Amino acid sequence: MEREGAGLFAAFRVLGRFSGHVPHVLRYHGRHREFYVAVAVGRSVHTYNVSKRRPGNTLPQDITCLAADRMLIFASCDNILYAFARNKEVVHTYEGHKARICLLQPFGDHVISVDVDNVLIVWNIQSEEEYLQIDFDKATFAVSALLHPSTYLNKILLGSEQGTLQLWNIKSNKLLYSFPGWGLAVTTLEQAPAVDVVAVGLVSGHIIVHNIKYDETLIKFQQDWGPITAISFRSDGHPVMAAGSPVGHIALWDLEEKKLMCQMQDAHSTAIAGMTFVPGEPLLITNGADNALRVWIFDGPGGAGRVLRSRMGHSAPPTKIRYHGQNGKQILSAGQDGTLQSFSTVHEKFNKSLGRGSINKKKSKKKGLKLDTMALPPITSFASEIAHQSDWDGIVACHQGYITCTTWNYQKTSMGAHKLRPEEFSKHTPVDIYATAVDITSCGNFAVIGMSTGQVDVYNMQSGIHRGHYGEETAHEGAIRGVAVDGLNQLVITAGSEGLIKFWKFKMKELVYSTELSSSPSGILLHRDSGILGIAFDDFTISVLDIETRKIVRTFSGHHGKINDMTFSPDGRWLITSSMDCSIKTWDLPSGCLIDCFLVDSAAVSLTMSPTGDFLASAHVDDLGIYLWSNRSLYSLVSLRPLPADYEPSLVTLPSTCPMQDMDVSGDEDACDEMIEYVSPEQLGEQLVTLSLLPESRWKNLINLDIIKKKNKPREPPKVPKSAPFFIPTLPGLIPRYILPEEENDRQSKVVNLGVLAQKSDFYIHLEEALSTNEYKAPLDLLKSLGPSNIELELRGLAPEGGGSIEVMLSFLRMIGVMLNKKYNFELIQAYLALFLKLHIKILSSEPKLLEELSKLSMQLEETWIHLQALFNQSLCVLTYMKSALL
């Protein structure tokens, strides 16, 4: 049974996959006025323009053939043909073949497909129906190439393994003409810029430029590199034809002078799968099974091209991967192709290739890739550190069966200046002595290297000078299986094949402690922050050793094959291991239990966990990609309970090139009965002072609410002054006197007594009921649901002038007392009591009942605060001691 994600880790995407053995296709988008390159990578289709990559949907199996027209991209998967629209959506599916599809050709409103059983089917693109089916006899005409000649309406040209060619009319289903051929199998057909002219590639390395209208051979070329794998013509005014070969070379032929113009050797390290000149431009796009996609530009003298852009990964499976730095954005990877590369988890434009290890760089460049005798063997182990990486080399690596360790510079993306090897072997290279383990200090100044003879040496990374060795002659009697340096450069830990773990003083080179293990170790891994050492044994068990106490604290067993690699989670809580039994297991160190396990199709040879804890990266046997698994515990509910002894792990499909959406978590929760979400109670203990979960804005500013309202009160607009009357009114009498304006005091007050009109609120009613029941949960819950202004309004309404009563005020104070006794919602009670005292201080001071209740509250508050103050002081004393004491 397969599933997309395990308990802890879900498949996310794969890094470092850019090309395969399927030829790419070039299509022109009329609306965008841009050319796009579609490349088949495993089960996905990548579409590139000049600067971006757009991964398409994932198909059930690996893509075997690819083609494109102006609107759709066609990809075959075994015996089923799919059509992609907008580079990602599968809009059509064509089912009818009984064998694997090997050839595709878009043909107007139709698409032609040929399978390995020699059955040709013409499909209607929109209706997905078969328009025509032709069966060929393998003995007489086994179809090996397919082409639609330009301007030949309704006609296709077929090449065969027998060497003959046939021209068919698809509409009338008639064989129009049969070409006798040249007695050799046809490998490829390509339309020339001239009408009626077709280039035919043969298995012998011959290229025939043939006129199919008159059945005449115009030009004949021959390559000595084997069968012709791809042909393309320049269309920018230069009469040049390019031909690919199985060894990765490209030949450029001058069609006017009918001769070889130049050679582009080692364009790819494997066969040229696809090759296409961009119409009207001096650009050649090539791809191969070496996991590389390159764009060549022809702008120099001699006619040879140079690489303009490229996307490339490992051409052979990775052997070791490790995260570089602390941001979790770069993964260093060493492959069997001898290269060291850096892959970005953010975007592939940040990828770097540090190159291939070489004894002498200048000689290697002169001899070329195929004849390079100076190339170093593949890297088996490496260590990196970002400290001082801008000043000197920050990566040290050991090579398979080679005594010399190399340094690498991440900033310069090249091999470093130093080659580290023991002084006694400086003039000759032994055959049976080689480096087995390396580590670099956290400061980036020193490299520690273990040898197969048991010798452990220290080198300076800046100068490359040998700084000493551990032990009188050798540190161990057997081969070194692992070395590690702690975070403070105090201890060096070495593991030998004789079954000993030794602790050495880093600076003095003295042996501090030695312990014997139950079996021979196969590798060690140190988590520097927590000081725990993971040890993998040859008997497929794992032990965890504390370097402070120097004792084994955990032992795990359960793998049934060699343990390939280990990695710790950033907090040191999990140890994740991979084995040749194709399982990846996660062990919880505090509980000492297995909490996650899943199976993959091919065994993981290397693991590394992101320093930020968001991704687990894995490299697998015979696989070119680096696979990312997302840590589901960061964004969903995951059960971390120990797995039962009879647990059967599920087979998990490896991630594809496009980011995969995680499965619905609710389905996992329903399937896992024991996974119950923990709900925290309102109060953990009766003696604990517990705060509420309300935000501060709901209670913190209650005491200053009147000031806030005053500040936020809108200003009144300026009033127009009252105009004076034309005739000033006077009083009757002998002496004229003016009538004075009416006094303000004579006006009737507009303030209405709320006690007359007020209605009882829900909070008021609950407080009245609580006088008899003594249950105050309902009024408190109601008060917690109100905002600051409504809280103030409710508390104002408790006073008699606001429509309340002395009994209700007494009930409110009793509610405060009950909450203080229970010690929860502590900060809310303080805020509500402070506002209540501020609003009703005059009434409280004049009522004996209320004064008596307030005195009880005062004593409760004082006891609670004295207890809290004692706890605060005790904690502060302990903290001050821990900060100042010399431990």
Side-chain angles (χ1 to χ4, degrees):
M1 175 183 176
E2 294 188 3
R3 58 177 181 172
E4 292 297 327
L8 261 184
F9 299 103
F12 185 64
R13 68 185 180 103
V14 63
L15 306 176
R17 292 291 303 274
F18 301 102
S19 177
H21 66 281
V22 180
H24 68 268
V25 292
L26 184 70
R27 58 189 291 262
Y28 180 74
H29 198 291
R31 187 161 56 89
H32 294 173
R33 295 184 178 181
E34 194 170 11
F35 285 99
Y36 290 91
V37 181
V39 186
V41 180
R43 298 180 291 129
S44 301
V45 178
H46 290 187
T47 304
Y48 292 86
N49 61 1
V50 176
S51 58
K52 294 182 180 179
R53 173 178 71 92
R54 300 174 183 175
N57 279 356
T58 301
L59 297 182
Q61 298 179 16
D62 287 348
I63 295 172
T64 57
C65 201
L66 202 63
D69 61 7
R70 64 184 187 88
M71 295 298 293
L72 300 173
I73 295 176
F74 301 94
S76 65
C77 175
D78 196 18
N79 61 342
I80 303 176
L81 179 61
Y82 299 90
F84 289 88
R86 290 175 288 275
N87 300 328
K88 58 182 180 179
E89 299 175 8
V90 176
V91 292
H92 298 294
T93 303
Y94 309 93
E95 298 182 8
H97 282 283
K98 297 181 181 179
R100 179 175 57 87
I101 299 173
C102 59
L103 294 173
L104 288 178
Q105 176 65 52
F107 194 72
D109 294 335
H110 300 79
V111 60
I112 304 171
S113 60
V114 182
D115 60 24
V116 293
D117 286 346
N118 238 21
V119 177
L120 183 147
I121 299 179
V122 181
W123 305 90
N124 187 301
I125 294 178
Q126 296 299 326
S127 65
E128 302 180 6
E129 297 176 352
E130 288 187 17
Y131 175 78
L132 176 67
Q133 179 173 330
I134 305 175
D135 295 343
F136 294 92
D137 185 7
K138 275 190 175 183
T140 58
F141 194 85
V143 181
S144 60
L146 178 63
L147 175 69
H148 167 55
S150 179
T151 71
Y152 280 56
L153 189 65
N154 300 328
K155 299 174 182 66
I156 59 170
L157 182 65
L158 302 176
S160 68
E161 295 178 1
Q162 287 77 18
T164 58
L165 285 81
Q166 294 182 1
L167 185 66
W168 283 78
N169 188 314
I170 296 299
K171 187 174 182 179
S172 62
N173 190 16
K174 291 182 179 179
L175 174 62
L176 301 180
Y177 188 79
S178 181
F179 300 87
W182 299 269
L184 296 168
V186 178
T187 58
T188 181
L189 295 172
E190 182 66 25
Q191 175 69 49
V195 180
D196 303 326
V197 179
V198 173
V200 183
L202 304 180
V203 72
S204 61
H206 288 83
I207 306 170
I208 311 297
V209 181
H210 197 73
N211 189 312
I212 59 175
K213 183 176 182 180
Y214 300 104
D215 193 9
E216 293 181 356
T217 298
L218 304 179
I219 310 173
K220 187 175 182 180
F221 300 114
Q222 182 178 3
Q223 294 181 181
D224 298 330
W225 300 321
I228 305 300
T229 59
I231 299 175
S232 184
F233 291 89
R234 286 185 68 172
S235 59
D236 60 337
H238 294 75
V240 176
M241 177 184 68
S245 66
V247 294
H249 304 327
I250 297 175
L252 298 173
W253 301 90
D254 192 324
L255 299 177
E256 282 189 350
E257 299 185 6
K258 301 181 181 180
K259 67 177 184 180
L260 180 67
M261 186 171 66
C262 64
Q263 299 178 5
M264 297 167 56
Q265 295 196 359
D266 300 325
H268 289 268
S269 60
T270 59
I272 305 293
M275 184 166 53
T276 311
F277 275 104
V278 178
E281 297 185 24
L283 298 177
L284 176 66
I285 303 172
T286 62
N287 78 299
D290 60 347
N291 197 21
L293 176 67
R294 293 186 173 95
V295 179
W296 308 80
I297 184 170
F298 297 86
D299 57 353
R306 63 179 178 87
V307 177
L308 179 64
R309 297 183 186 90
S310 67
R311 288 281 188 266
M312 56 181 293
H314 285 293
S315 58
T319 56
K320 193 82 169 179
I321 59 173
R322 288 292 182 266
Y323 268 94
H324 181 67
Q326 298 299 320
N327 56 6
K329 295 181 179 180
Q330 297 289 338
I331 298 177
L332 284 175
S333 172
Q336 294 178 9
D337 54 358
T339 61
L340 183 64
Q341 301 195 31
S342 172
F343 295 100
S344 172
T345 60
V346 179
H347 196 280
E348 61 189 27
K349 68 181 179 181
F350 301 116
N351 292 355
K352 296 180 180 181
S353 177
L354 279 70
R356 187 186 307 270
S358 175
I359 301 173
N360 190 311
K361 289 184 181 179
K362 293 183 179 179
K363 291 184 179 180
S364 295
K365 286 184 179 179
K366 289 181 180 179
K367 291 188 176 182
L369 184 64
K370 300 288 185 182
L371 303 175
D372 186 11
T373 58
M374 295 290 172
L376 289 172
I379 294 172
T380 56
S381 181
F382 66 87
S384 67
E385 189 58 53
I386 59 173
H388 296 295
Q389 72 171 2
S390 58
D391 301 323
W392 54 76
D393 302 338
I395 305 170
V396 59
C398 63
H399 300 259
Q400 181 179 353
Y402 201 70
I403 191 172
T404 302
C405 291
T406 55
T407 60
W408 300 75
N409 196 301
Y410 186 81
Q411 298 282 12
K412 297 179 180 178
T413 63
S414 65
M415 200 172 110
H418 308 299
K419 294 180 176 59
L420 312 177
R421 64 191 302 171
E423 295 177 354
E424 58 266 27
F425 302 112
S426 58
K427 295 184 179 179
H428 67 283
T429 301
V431 179
D432 56 344
I433 300 176
Y434 51 92
T436 57
V438 294
D439 197 13
I440 188 170
T441 57
S442 57
C443 60
N445 287 313
F446 299 98
V448 182
I449 300 172
M451 311 293 293
S452 61
T453 58
Q455 184 176 346
V456 179
D457 299 283
V458 182
Y459 297 88
N460 186 281
M461 289 293 293
Q462 183 179 6
S463 61
I465 298 175
H466 184 264
R467 292 300 186 187
H469 61 85
Y470 294 92
E472 295 181 0
E473 294 183 359
T474 59
H476 289 265
E477 296 179 0
I480 301 298
R481 295 291 178 86
V483 294
V485 187
D486 69 344
L488 299 176
N489 292 2
Q490 299 296 315
L491 288 175
V492 173
I493 306 161
T494 60
S497 59
E498 77 278 7
L500 291 178
I501 290 279
K502 294 185 178 182
F503 295 81
W504 309 82
K505 286 186 178 180
F506 178 81
K507 187 175 182 180
M508 304 302 295
K509 313 292 190 299
E510 297 175 356
L511 180 63
V512 178
Y513 184 77
S514 177
T515 180
E516 187 173 355
L517 301 172
S518 59
S519 178
S520 177
S522 61
I524 64 173
L525 179 68
L526 176 66
H527 188 263
R528 285 176 174 169
D529 293 340
S530 61
I532 53 177
L533 182 74
I535 308 169
F537 293 96
D538 288 338
D539 60 358
F540 314 148
T541 60
I542 306 125
S543 292
V544 178
L545 186 142
D546 187 352
I547 66 172
E548 294 294 332
T549 61
R550 303 189 181 105
K551 293 181 180 180
I552 292 179
V553 294
R554 294 287 185 273
T555 299
F556 304 115
S557 61
H559 283 293
H560 303 289
K562 178 192 172 186
I563 297 172
N564 293 326
D565 203 2
M566 303 179 291
T567 184
F568 284 101
S569 61
D571 56 0
R573 185 180 181 88
W574 298 338
L575 176 63
I576 307 163
T577 58
S578 66
S579 171
M580 289 303 293
D581 59 6
C582 297
S583 65
I584 297 177
K585 298 188 176 185
T586 304
W587 311 87
D588 186 66
L589 298 185
S591 63
C593 298
L594 176 68
I595 59 173
D596 186 67
C597 177
F598 62 94
L599 300 176
V600 288
D601 293 324
S602 58
V605 296
S606 188
L607 291 175
T608 180
M609 188 79 175
S610 169
T612 56
D614 49 358
F615 290 112
L616 171 71
S618 63
H620 297 261
V621 174
D622 296 333
D623 202 303
L624 302 180
I626 297 173
Y627 294 90
L628 292 181
W629 309 82
S630 61
N631 183 1
R632 292 185 56 217
S633 66
L634 299 181
Y635 58 86
S636 64
L637 182 63
V638 177
S639 174
L640 298 179
R641 295 190 176 185
L643 298 179
D646 57 348
Y647 177 77
E648 294 184 3
S650 300
L651 182 65
V652 179
T653 305
L654 291 176
S656 63
T657 51
C658 55
M660 301 176 67
Q661 298 294 330
D662 195 9
M663 296 179 64
D664 188 10
V665 182
S666 61
D668 295 342
E669 292 177 1
D670 296 339
C672 188
D673 296 334
E674 74 274 4
M675 201 165 100
I676 302 173
E677 185 176 0
Y678 175 74
V679 179
S680 177
E682 189 173 1
Q683 190 174 19
L684 296 177
E686 295 182 358
Q687 300 302 319
L688 297 177
V689 173
T690 307
L691 305 181
S692 69
L693 298 177
L694 292 181
E696 291 185 352
S697 58
R698 301 280 291 275
W699 56 268
K700 192 173 183 179
N701 296 317
L702 280 176
I703 193 69
N704 299 318
L705 200 59
D706 53 345
I707 302 174
I708 296 173
K709 287 183 176 180
K710 189 175 182 180
K711 286 183 178 180
N712 296 337
K713 184 179 179 181
R715 294 181 179 179
E716 295 183 1
K719 295 181 179 179
V720 180
K722 191 175 182 180
S723 57
F726 183 79
F727 295 103
I728 300 175
T730 58
L731 292 173
L734 296 175
I735 301 173
R737 288 185 302 171
Y738 299 106
I739 298 176
L740 297 176
E742 296 181 358
E743 298 293 337
E744 294 292 334
N745 296 333
D746 297 341
R747 296 181 181 177
Q748 186 178 0
S749 176
K750 296 181 180 180
V751 178
V752 182
N753 186 5
L754 291 178
V756 180
L757 303 177
Q759 294 181 352
K760 294 181 180 180
S761 64
D762 292 338
F763 178 65
Y764 187 94
I765 295 171
H766 286 313
L767 284 180
E768 279 187 334
E769 293 175 353
L771 286 173
S772 58
T773 61
N774 204 25
E775 290 291 336
Y776 291 97
K777 187 177 185 305
L780 179 64
D781 291 341
L782 182 60
L783 207 58
K784 287 170 64 176
S785 64
L786 301 177
S789 297
N790 290 334
I791 292 174
E792 185 194 26
L793 185 63
E794 291 287 354
L795 295 188
R796 283 186 183 276
L798 300 181
E801 63 268 16
S805 63
I806 301 298
E807 288 75 15
V808 176
M809 295 179 69
L810 184 63
S811 179
F812 178 82
L813 292 177
R814 288 177 180 174
M815 181 188 75
I816 299 293
V818 171
M819 297 302 109
L820 285 176
N821 287 332
K822 294 184 178 180
K823 296 184 179 180
Y824 66 86
N825 295 318
F826 191 71
E827 81 280 20
L828 293 183
I829 297 304
Q830 308 293 323
Y832 295 159
L833 182 59
L835 179 61
F836 184 80
L837 294 175
K838 180 179 179 181
L839 295 176
H840 307 300
I841 188 64
K842 293 182 178 180
I843 302 175
L844 293 173
S845 59
S846 59
E847 292 291 335
K849 292 182 180 180
L850 299 179
L851 281 176
E852 183 180 355
E853 194 66 32
L854 282 175
S855 62
K856 294 179 182 178
L857 287 179
S858 178
M859 294 176 61
Q860 288 180 332
L861 282 171
E862 188 175 0
E863 290 177 2
T864 306
W865 279 112
I866 289 175
H867 178 64
L868 285 177
Q869 190 65 39
L871 294 177
F872 289 151
N873 291 337
Q874 183 181 359
S875 301
L876 289 173
C877 289
V878 174
L879 183 61
T880 305
Y881 172 75
M882 295 293 290
K883 291 171 64 176
S884 60
L886 297 176
L887 299 179

